[in-house]
Amino acid sequence: MTRIYKIADQYVERVAALNPLAATGMGVPGHDAEMPDYSPDGAAAMAAMVRATIAELRAAVVEGERDRVARDGMLDRLELSVEQYEAGEYRRGLNILSCPLQSVRSTFDLMPRETAEHWSNIAARMRLVPETLAGYRRSLREGIETGMPSTQRQTAECAKQCAVWTGRAEGHADRTPFFSRLLEAFDGAEVDDAALRAELEAGAAAATGAYAEMGTYLGEQYRPEAEPRDPVGIDRYRFGVRAYLGAELDLEETYEWGWAELRRLDAEMAETAQRIAPGDALAAVKELLGSDPERSIEGVDEFRRWMQE
């Protein structure tokens, strides 16, 4: 194994140690009873590790094309993460799709549940949820204090997620807290251990209470201080483009292209609608296509035949 590949292997182990949720997601064993530190100190520790890895990559001898590709790919991702840390992005890391709020909850979907040891890991991790979310709130508060909050709309929806997961969402069909479902799953498993069940029950109560506290904090304290507008600005958008595409784009050109494409598609829709029902508005044509029996296809076999033709 070349030095570059050894550094890559070491990096995976270091990430797993600092972010046990990532370890579970990657299938790295040994961290399923642990939780990450989402506080400012935890963010600083991760950034320090990444900087050290960058230094090791830059000092290592490259042995061939595979090494070069591996090194360059890692440097691209790692240097971006350092830039994001230095810009303080962790301070406003609150959104409805991919932030610590979801990562902490969803990791329990990935954990095995076959043995007593598996369930013991789940119990231990649930007991750590209050501490983990408290550290996360410290980062969010630092964002408020430094003028770097998330937005009010993201905050409101994240508070709703907390309500759903704690069984407190008004109008929601299932009012069972998520962590209580884990206890129900244990009762259906072939593990007969009263002491372990008690640990799971305590962990579920702690985790549910932590998410209830988080939801209250987001709705009552954080949201009033959050940014009322959704646009992130060109500097933050540039980070997003690099993170998702791995490329530097001319953002002004891309923005103009996006609007041009939207106008082109709108015009094409309007033209097509007139071919279907001349003189009707676009909304009326959409309604026609959804309700006219002669334009509907019923049944799997008939739909498959139509698609194949």
Side-chain angles (χ1 to χ4, degrees):
M1 183 183 294
T2 68
R3 175 60 180 156
I4 296 293
Y5 273 71
K6 288 180 181 178
I7 293 171
D9 278 1
Q10 291 168 0
Y11 174 72
V12 171
E13 295 297 332
R14 291 168 178 170
V15 168
L18 288 173
N19 187 349
L21 305 190
T24 297
M26 294 185 292
V28 177
H31 301 280
D32 281 347
E34 303 167 6
M35 276 287 192
D37 180 1
Y38 285 125
S39 74
D41 289 342
M46 181 66 77
M49 183 276 288
V50 171
R51 288 191 183 102
T53 303
I54 290 172
E56 292 174 3
L57 286 169
R58 293 200 172 282
V61 175
V62 175
E63 301 178 28
E65 183 65 6
R66 287 170 60 87
D67 258 15
R68 185 196 65 76
V69 170
R71 183 202 61 181
D72 290 354
M74 285 189 69
L75 285 175
D76 177 69
R77 297 289 89 188
L78 298 184
E79 289 172 350
L80 174 61
S81 72
V82 170
E83 290 179 40
Q84 290 174 315
Y85 169 76
E86 292 175 346
E89 285 298 307
Y90 70 91
R91 297 172 183 152
R92 50 187 166 197
L94 179 71
N95 63 75
I96 64 168
L97 291 179
S98 179
C99 73
L101 192 72
Q102 296 89 28
S103 297
V104 170
R105 205 230 37 88
S106 64
T107 193
F108 293 95
D109 295 333
L110 304 178
M111 298 178 69
R113 304 177 184 181
E114 284 78 33
T115 68
E117 181 182 1
H118 293 158
W119 285 106
S120 179
N121 288 335
I122 291 172
R125 188 167 262 181
M126 284 195 296
R127 289 196 302 272
L128 293 174
V129 171
E131 179 183 346
T132 300
L133 292 184
Y136 180 38
R137 284 197 297 276
R138 288 197 293 275
S139 291
L140 294 178
R141 282 198 295 270
E142 188 175 280
I144 293 289
E145 292 165 0
T146 56
M148 301 178 64
S150 182
T151 67
Q152 290 184 354
R153 185 161 66 159
Q154 295 286 351
T155 305
E157 293 304 314
C158 285
K160 289 180 184 178
Q161 288 180 328
C162 291
V164 170
W165 296 333
T166 56
R168 302 183 181 192
E170 294 183 6
H172 202 266
D174 188 352
R175 301 294 290 269
T176 304
F178 167 78
F179 295 100
S180 296
R181 292 197 204 113
L182 292 176
L183 195 62
E184 294 173 357
F186 174 79
D187 291 337
E190 296 181 1
V191 179
D192 185 11
D193 189 326
L196 178 54
R197 192 190 190 284
E199 292 179 16
L200 286 160
E201 188 172 7
T208 299
Y211 266 99
E213 182 182 1
M214 190 73 191
T216 299
Y217 167 74
L218 291 175
E220 297 181 2
Q221 298 181 46
Y222 189 85
R223 188 184 180 203
E225 301 292 332
E227 172 63 47
R229 299 176 66 248
D230 291 316
V232 300
I234 194 169
D235 291 332
R236 291 189 68 201
Y237 189 72
R238 186 174 287 111
F239 281 140
V241 167
R242 288 175 58 195
Y244 281 96
L245 302 181
E248 294 273 5
L249 296 183
D250 182 326
L251 299 185
E252 295 288 350
E253 179 183 34
T254 304
Y255 190 73
E256 291 302 322
W257 171 83
W259 279 111
E261 280 294 284
L262 183 60
R263 288 189 290 268
R264 181 184 67 80
L265 292 171
D266 279 346
E268 188 172 332
M269 287 172 62
E271 179 185 350
T272 304
Q274 290 308 299
R275 290 167 54 198
I276 295 169
D280 284 358
L282 181 60
V285 176
K286 289 181 180 179
E287 176 65 24
L288 174 66
L289 292 174
S291 60
D292 183 1
E294 294 186 2
R295 291 181 167 88
S296 300
I297 302 173
E298 297 294 338
V300 172
D301 292 337
E302 186 64 16
F303 181 73
R304 181 187 298 114
R305 181 193 62 76
W306 181 83
M307 288 291 290
Q308 289 173 339
E309 289 179 356

